[in-house]
Amino acid sequence: HVQLVESGGGLVQAGGSLRLSCGSSSGHTGRMYCMAWFRLAPGKEREGVVALASDGSTWYADSVKGRFIISKDNAKNTLYLQMNNLRPEDTAMYYCVADMEYCGVSEYEWTYWGQGTQVTVS
């Protein structure tokens, strides 16, 4: 059983940084084919932000390229999203997702979801 838990969200001024974390106490995050971060902003559809496949391949949404970095610490069994130069439009609930065979942008294809962590940029 895989349970994902996000942390690190909060309030930050535009131009600031936050680092989100996603972990699974079971240690299954290290054995997933792909993990990703999605976000849901008020009045908008849920969108994929960035994904990291088991082979190290990544995909970033154009809106966050050069500002966000996804990484994983295998020793700590933790996925990270380093968010730099945050903008008000980055305000959203951020979700950690994982799957054993899918690594795309469709929110409906991901099997495991965290509860979300709120990021508010003012």
Side-chain angles (χ1 to χ4, degrees), residues 19-104:
R19 187 179 73 166
L20 307 184
S21 300
C22 172
S24 172
S25 60
S26 68
H28 288 188
T29 54
R31 294 185 285 276
M32 291 292 169
Y33 169 67
C34 196
M35 299 188 72
W37 292 92
F38 276 68
R39 66 185 181 185
L40 178 62
K44 300 182 65 177
E45 296 182 7
R46 202 185 309 270
E47 65 173 346
V49 179
V50 57
L52 173 63
S54 59
D55 65 357
S57 300
T58 60
W59 182 88
Y60 290 85
D62 288 340
S63 61
V64 306
K65 287 181 178 178
R67 300 189 298 120
F68 291 12
I69 302 171
I70 190 171
S71 63
K72 189 174 186 298
D73 186 329
N74 291 317
K76 296 182 178 180
N77 193 36
T78 302
L79 183 76
Y80 299 102
L81 179 61
Q82 179 66 46
M83 305 185 295
N84 300 315
N85 192 24
L86 283 161
R87 305 166 179 170
E89 53 263 41
D90 294 319
T91 296
M93 183 73 75
Y94 284 73
Y95 299 90
C96 175
V97 301
D99 202 90
M100 290 181 281
E101 63 178 4
Y102 184 75
C103 198

